[in-house]
Every structure is written in C-alpha cells, then in structure tokens.
Amino acid sequence: MKKKNSIRKIRNIGIIAHIDAGKTTVTERVLYYTGRSHKIGEVHDGEAVMDWMTDEQERGITITSAVTTCQWKDSQIQIIDTPGHVDFTIEVERSLRVLDGAVGVFCAVGGVEPQSETVWHQADKYSVPKMAFINKMDRIGADFFGTVGMMKERLNASPLIIQLPVGAEDSFSGVIDLIAMKQIVWNTEDMGATFETTDIPADLIAEAGEYREKLIETVAETDDDLMERYLSEEPIDDDALIDAVRKATIGLKLVPVMCGSALRNKGIQPLLDAVIRYLPSPADIPPIRGINPITGETVECPHRENSPLAALIFKVSMIEGRKLSFVRVYSGRLRSGADVFNTSLGKKEKLSRILRMHANKRERIDEAEPGSIIGVVGLKDSVTGDTLCSADHPVMLEKMEFYEPVISMAIEPKTHSDQDKMEQVLEKFMAEDPTLKVREDEDTGQTILSGMGELHLEIIISRMQREFNTGVNVGKPQVVYRETIAETARATAVFDREIGGQHLFGEVALTLSPLGRGTGNSFRSEVTDEMIPPAFIPAIEASVMESLESGAIIGYPVVDVEAVLTGGSCKETQSTELAYRISASMACKEALAGGSPFLLDPIMKVEIFVPEAFVGDVIGDISSRGGKIEAIEAQRGVQVIRATAPLAKMFGYSTSLRSATQGRGTFTMHFSHFDRS
C-alpha cells in the first residue's frame, strides 16, 4: 500500500494562462519528468494527456479543466490544467476556488495577454498565491524583461525575478538560478530529462550579481529579520532567502518569476522545485470558514483528519453518461461507501467510490484526507457548489458564483428518436456546466440553448453528437438582451374577483423608475399600515421582482429599475396574499409598458492585435459595427486596439478580421456590461 503523504508535503496547484501560452505543454512536461507519463504528449499532435476530449485534441485547445496527481521528490502535486479560452472561464473560476496555489504561464512573445489578466484577477479574488513561468523563450521576439514589466503594469503584481534566461530566441540555452547562483543547461538528447548545473559564465557574472542583489533587496522589504541582516551587510544564506521568498509568496506580497521553453524541454524541473519551495501546502492556508445552517454561526474547518468533515463539490462531469463529482476535502476524512450530509440539499447522500484522478483515467482509493482533490461516484442529487459534511456537524461553505450567459441559439432534434435523448443530454450538460442554460420559448415552442460564446455552444453541440449520438439542427446564434425603461411610469391595478366561493381583493399602486446602468433592481414600500397590512408587503415585493424577469418588449429580464409601492387598499375579510400578488404583477406589467421600455445589448470588451499597416481598416470595420475605440497602443511589433462593441454586431468577426489583415490579425472578446448600443 502506498505511503500516505503528510499534509505539508501536498501542493494543490493550477496552471492558468491565456489561450496558447503553453499551459498544457508545461503540464505534459511535468507529467513526463515526474514519471506520471512515459512519453510526452504534444498538443499540436492531439496527444496531450490532459486534453483527452476529442474536441480538445482536434482544436488543440483545453476546454475542460483536468485533474491529475504526480510525485516530485518527496511531495505530492495535485494539478488542475485549466482552459485559456474566455468562453470556458467558469472552468478556471471553479478550479481556483479550491486550489492553494497557481502557476501563471506567460508567452515570452505575447507577454501578458487579455485572458491572462482575467485569470490572474480571478486568482486574486480567491487570494491564491502565484508564481510565474515565462514560456517560449526560444521563440523569435521573446522578451523576458518586457513580460516582467507587463506583469507590473497590467496585473498590478510584484514580480520577483529568481531566474535569468541565458540567451533568447535561437540562442536560448538555459537559465541562471539567482538563489544558488549557478547556471542550469539542459541535455537535448534525452528530452531534457537531465541537466547540468555549472558555474555562471564569466560574461554573465556581473548581470547575475546585480539581479541577485535586487532579489535580496526586494525580499528584505517583506521580512524584518532579513532586512536587518541586509542592512548590517551580513551574508544571507540560501535557506534563509528561500524561507523569506516562500513567506512573501504565501502572503501574496511577491510573485517569483522563472523562465524556460516547455516545448524544447527546458525549465520544468526547477519550476517543480519552486512549486514545492514557494507555494503553500494546505496546512499553510488559513482554515476555510463556513456557516452552521442551523445556528447561523461561523464555523472554522481546520486541515485535520480528526476534525468533522467539510468538503466542496467544485465540478460535476458526465463521463460516458455517468456522474462524476470532483471534490476538495478541507477537513476530516471522506471514506468510500460512507454516508455524507449535503447541507445545500439538507439530505444524506452515499459515496460508492472515491477515485484519484489522472485526466480521464482513475485509480480507486479507500479514503481521502484533508487537502485531497478527488473524484467521487455515487452522489445522485448533489451539484456544483454543494457542501458535503457529517450530519452531526453541519456546515455550509461559501457558494460559488457563476456567470450569466450572453449568447443563445435555437436547437431542435433531427429525428423523433432524438427528441427524448436531447432533453436528457441537455440536463446532463447543465448539471456539468452552470453557465449553460436551456429554456423553451413560449411564443415559438423552440428549445433555446444559452452560453458564454459561439465556441462554447459549438462545443456543446459537437459533444451532443459525439458522446451521446444525439442529432440536432441548430438555428443562428441569438443575443441574450436585457430590457429596462427610459422614464418613470405609474400604474394601479385592482384584483377583485370571486374564486372557489371566496371573494378576493387586492389593490396595488406602483411607480417604476430607471436606475443607473449596472445598479440592478430594487424595491421599497412607502405605504402606511392602513393602506396595506405589513404582512402582505413581502408577497407584493416577490411578485414585482418575478414580473421584472420578463420585460414588455420581447420578454427578456428587466434590469436597473426601482419599484416603489406608493399606494393601495385592502378589505378586511377579502384581502389575501394571492390577490396582492396578482394585482402587483398586473401593475408592474402596465408600468413597464408605459415607461418607454428599450433593449440593452450585451457590450463586449474586444482586444485586437494587428500589424500597423492594417490599423486603419480594422478601426473602420469596428466602428461600422457600432464599436467604440478606447485605446491603441504599440506592443512588440503589433498595434493593440482596445474597444467595446455590441455582441449582436460581432458575429463572424474572426472571418472579417482575417480578410482585412491577410490572416495576420487576432482578437479576444469577453462580456463587459449591458448598455444601449
């Protein structure tokens, strides 16, 4: 039986980055050098272990976050390789929620790209300590120090250079370790599995000394003891420096920066050493807190095996039609075959099996201790974001936030036999992906599928056909709008009717007023107790908020509206909650129609990378789509155009951009806000 790792020897890390920065390539090398894989799988050959889905292999991108476990020296590293494409940002969000540390991978040519910013700030949101690996140092245009500068500027990070590249582009040959003050050069004959540690070449000693001094100075600013020794000009040994860097990294004060070329098998082993040295174990992270659902008190869940169980389901996956729940254990032990209590559902569930994951392969284990990230089979009703605990020590961990979809398409089954299958398959996908929504259009009877972008929906349709053999016809993608009003409107509605032999009465007067963009909806009451008894106010508020979910123009949700209950009346024996709910709904609908309603477009934030010669054409094209140029800046031989544009006008933009730039332009786009276009 395999010896269990101490919790201090566990590292739970995520590999995060912009699409095509080399996350999966880095992960593949990690698996090879730790002995988890016996050959290196290349993304461009469709053979990457972590990109196991057919769509991932064909497209050469990561779509779903994959979990794996490997051993490096005496430590266990649990890795989640996350997608870089903005359409799958939920995969990054829910992975970061359960990770203790992250490695940000940056392309030495592209630097800090738009999605890098998004995922970095997601990690900041969850206070995840980070390291940076500047990849592709062998590529033409590689700029190590330029990328470090962009980290400061765009990520508001405090990079700490702990390695220097030896050469760049074609001449990139290795790195200088500024802590050990040695040069590391990889052996290309054995796929970089071996390397030599040598003295620093004479022509680089001065530069290395300068950066070592900067390193000590920067770290000393975060550590009083080190600062005292530095100012006293005492020698600072490597162990003291490593401890101080670790403390500053875990304390979110500094971000250690390393470099290499994953594709050329250079830089991975020192990166693994740094993960062990500088990123936290579960024991280094403050205990997670939750709420006791019965008493409402805050509960602390320490990382101990003998503490009550506290675990979070951060992802649900339907692999081969079977439900697999991905769980992070924070406290206590999870045992195979045991009953667990789902606080979110208020019921018990039974675990049939616990699995240690390696992408789409699994290994059965009997139990999972604190710090484990594992797969669980047997949870029937539990969904993403639910808490698992013991019934006699209930705790509810903080729920996960999900993004609202911005793009929709109509789908219908190709054949009668596909009809029943389609509904079941869509249910499975919604359980797997909380950003995916399905509804039936009341007017047309069509099934409307909504998601985060064109690629997101395209992948779902592809998976329906490949994995579940379900044929569907697809309508043109449609934008998911919001509605609001332009002016204040008032309405009064009376419900006065006999139902089932009982006379029901309720009168409600409402005023709806527009609010600032992004404010949301609000409700307040100005009526006296004589007009409407206080007991009925919550029912009126609930009815108004429900009515705002369907606007007066096309039925999209209404946003940025204040509803004020200004009047009404009651009849002592006849006024009921039902009567007030109905009259409030009638008054709200009438006021919405009278408030000059209009549609709000989803406005997208767009970043376009184009050679200078094509800037004029690209700006003209974006402007013709209703876009607004916010900034144009030069970056490494290309111009970066930052703009906002309505999503409705951006369909098919990739084709237009390729035509306008002879195939040399690229862009990224993600949702910004709703507004009038």
Side-chain angles (χ1 to χ4, degrees):
M1 187 176 160
K2 193 152 81 173
K3 187 177 179 295
K4 202 172 60 176
N5 276 313
S6 147
I7 193 166
R8 294 201 172 273
K9 298 289 185 184
I10 294 174
R11 298 291 181 272
N12 292 320
I13 65 164
I15 311 285
I16 60 171
H18 186 89
I19 190 168
D20 206 29
K23 293 179 310 304
T24 302
T25 306
V26 168
T27 310
E28 292 299 318
R29 268 57 184 179
V30 166
L31 297 181
Y32 179 69
Y33 297 132
T34 57
R36 199 71 178 81
S37 297
H38 299 299
K39 78 176 196 114
I40 293 177
E42 299 293 9
V43 175
H44 52 264
D45 295 333
E47 292 180 353
V49 173
M50 302 301 274
D51 287 349
W52 56 270
M53 284 170 57
T54 309
D55 281 297
E56 292 179 313
Q57 292 166 352
E58 284 185 359
R59 296 165 192 266
I61 62 169
T62 303
I63 292 167
T64 180
S65 50
V67 180
T68 192
T69 306
C70 57
Q71 290 285 137
W72 181 248
K73 297 184 176 171
D74 62 345
S75 294
Q76 176 181 304
I77 304 176
Q78 298 178 127
I79 304 171
I80 301 184
D81 175 32
T82 62
H85 197 286
V86 70
D87 282 16
F88 309 106
T89 191
I90 182 61
E91 290 285 341
V92 185
E93 182 87 17
R94 57 186 174 188
S95 300
L96 287 169
R97 171 76 165 78
V98 298
L99 290 169
D100 302 324
V103 177
V105 177
F106 299 97
C107 170
V109 182
V112 177
E113 295 166 288
Q115 187 63 5
S116 303
E117 288 186 62
T118 305
V119 295
W120 195 270
H121 295 316
Q122 282 174 303
D124 284 340
K125 181 169 120 183
Y126 292 114
S127 301
V128 177
K130 297 172 286 293
M131 287 172 46
F133 181 72
I134 298 177
N135 192 26
K136 305 190 180 183
M137 282 303 303
D138 60 313
R139 288 265 303 271
I140 292 171
D143 184 350
F144 176 77
F145 295 108
T147 303
V148 172
M150 289 175 79
M151 286 178 65
K152 290 180 189 170
E153 181 191 324
R154 292 205 180 172
L155 305 177
N156 201 23
S158 302
L160 178 73
I161 297 172
I162 61 172
Q163 277 185 354
L164 289 177
V166 178
E169 303 180 347
D170 291 347
S171 64
F172 176 68
S173 59
V175 299
I176 290 172
D177 179 344
L178 293 175
I179 289 179
M181 285 301 276
K182 290 287 182 183
Q183 177 181 244
I184 304 171
V185 181
W186 278 266
N187 186 347
T188 52
E189 291 173 12
D190 60 0
M191 304 289 286
T194 58
F195 53 87
E196 283 180 55
T197 303
T198 64
D199 290 335
I200 299 170
D203 59 331
L204 296 175
I205 283 178
E207 187 186 14
E210 181 191 333
Y211 277 96
R212 161 120 175 155
E213 192 68 18
K214 282 182 185 173
L215 164 69
I216 294 171
E217 191 179 319
T218 307
V219 177
E221 286 170 8
T222 69
D223 187 289
D224 292 341
D225 180 48
L226 207 66
M227 178 60 86
E228 204 173 298
R229 292 170 66 179
Y230 176 67
L231 293 174
S232 306
E233 296 186 2
E234 287 180 38
I236 295 170
D237 59 273
D238 294 354
D239 289 344
L241 198 50
I242 288 167
D243 286 347
V245 173
R246 176 180 176 77
K247 205 185 300 178
T249 305
I250 295 172
L252 306 177
K253 293 174 183 172
L254 296 173
V255 178
V257 180
M258 309 179 73
C259 61
S261 167
L263 191 63
R264 301 283 172 253
N265 311 306
K266 294 174 183 175
I268 301 302
Q269 296 95 332
L271 177 64
L272 284 165
D273 287 337
V275 164
I276 305 302
R277 279 179 175 178
Y278 307 124
L279 290 182
S281 73
D284 298 314
I285 299 292
I288 195 166
R289 293 167 181 264
I291 301 291
N292 183 316
I294 299 164
T295 64
E297 293 174 355
T298 301
V299 179
E300 203 168 76
C301 307
H303 308 286
R304 290 198 300 263
E305 292 185 23
N306 56 1
S307 296
L309 175 67
L312 182 76
I313 300 171
F314 68 95
K315 177 177 172 171
V316 171
S317 186
M318 296 292 175
I319 298 175
E320 295 163 3
R322 298 190 65 190
K323 184 174 179 179
L324 175 67
S325 303
F326 289 82
V327 175
R328 161 74 195 255
V329 182
Y330 287 100
S331 177
R333 299 162 83 87
L334 209 53
R335 289 187 174 87
S336 186
D339 285 339
V340 289
F341 186 71
N342 183 320
T343 328
S344 313
L345 299 175
K347 62 183 277 191
K348 282 187 177 180
E349 291 255 58
K350 191 171 190 70
L351 303 178
S352 58
R353 280 183 291 158
I354 299 176
L355 308 166
R356 182 171 284 123
M357 303 301 298
H358 178 48
N360 62 334
K361 298 181 176 64
R362 308 141 210 195
E363 171 195 337
R364 285 185 73 159
I365 55 175
D366 296 326
E367 61 181 23
E369 61 276 355
S372 299
I373 294 176
I374 35 97
V376 168
V377 178
L379 302 176
K380 289 181 183 171
D381 302 315
S382 299
V383 296
T384 301
D386 283 0
T387 303
L388 302 179
C389 59
S390 53
D392 51 349
H393 289 92
V395 63
M396 184 175 283
L397 302 176
E398 186 186 348
K399 277 278 187 186
M400 297 171 77
E401 294 174 10
F402 303 120
Y403 300 94
E404 286 298 312
V406 294
I407 187 170
S408 298
M409 61 168 60
I411 59 170
E412 62 180 26
K414 277 188 176 172
T415 65
H416 185 68
S417 65
D418 288 324
Q419 175 70 54
D420 295 335
K421 275 203 292 184
M422 186 179 88
E423 290 175 14
Q424 292 168 6
V425 170
L426 288 174
E427 270 182 34
K428 287 177 179 176
F429 281 143
M430 281 194 293
E432 199 177 271
D433 184 349
T435 61
L436 194 70
K437 298 278 192 288
V438 177
R439 66 179 174 87
E440 190 172 293
D441 190 294
E442 290 177 11
D443 299 325
T444 63
Q446 286 179 307
T447 300
I448 307 296
L449 184 66
S450 305
M452 297 301 294
E454 286 182 271
L455 181 61
H456 186 200
L457 296 183
E458 201 181 297
I459 297 291
I460 293 296
I461 299 301
S462 171
R463 288 185 63 197
M464 287 178 80
Q465 292 163 345
R466 284 180 193 276
E467 294 176 31
F468 297 94
N469 199 25
T470 306
V472 290
N473 295 319
V474 178
K476 190 183 170 196
Q478 298 293 317
V479 176
V480 179
Y481 294 94
R482 294 290 184 267
E483 298 185 23
T484 193
I485 54 175
E487 54 193 52
T488 299
R490 296 169 183 81
T492 302
V494 179
F495 184 79
D496 189 1
R497 199 171 297 172
E498 194 172 298
I499 297 177
Q502 183 188 358
H503 202 95
L504 304 182
F505 176 86
E507 180 184 4
V508 167
L510 278 179
T511 300
L512 298 187
S513 307
L515 292 173
R517 210 55 66 236
T519 311
N521 295 330
S522 65
F523 175 91
R524 62 187 171 86
S525 170
E526 290 181 351
V527 299
T528 62
D529 295 357
E530 290 73 34
M531 289 179 182
I532 299 175
F536 295 120
I537 303 299
I540 292 170
E541 179 178 357
S543 180
V544 168
M545 289 304 182
E546 199 175 295
S547 299
L548 291 176
E549 287 175 14
S550 179
I553 305 173
I554 315 177
Y556 286 110
V558 178
V559 295
D560 304 335
V561 167
E562 181 187 46
V564 183
L565 179 60
T566 54
S569 63
C570 66
K571 291 184 179 176
E572 198 167 322
T573 57
Q574 297 173 7
S575 291
T576 65
E577 192 174 289
L578 176 63
Y580 280 118
R581 286 185 79 97
I582 295 170
S583 55
S585 177
M586 291 161 58
C588 189
K589 296 285 185 200
E590 188 182 327
L592 280 175
S596 300
F598 62 92
L599 288 177
L600 293 172
D601 282 77
I603 304 296
M604 310 303 283
K605 199 176 272 290
V606 188
E607 286 207 340
I608 310 156
F609 299 79
V610 291
E612 191 159 355
F614 305 107
V615 167
D617 293 341
V618 171
I619 289 175
D621 185 32
I622 277 286
S623 300
S624 72
R625 295 169 184 267
K628 293 175 184 165
I629 307 299
E630 293 185 336
I632 303 171
E633 62 180 57
Q635 187 189 110
R636 317 254 175 97
V638 295
Q639 296 291 319
V640 183
I641 302 168
R642 293 191 172 85
T644 56
L647 175 61
K649 304 282 181 66
M650 292 300 287
F651 289 125
Y653 181 64
S654 55
T655 306
S656 299
L657 181 64
R658 275 199 296 271
S659 303
T661 62
Q662 297 173 11
R664 292 165 65 194
T666 60
F667 81 106
T668 64
M669 178 171 78
H670 63 271
F671 173 72
S672 173
H673 61 283
F674 283 99
D675 208 343
R676 211 167 193 165
S677 63

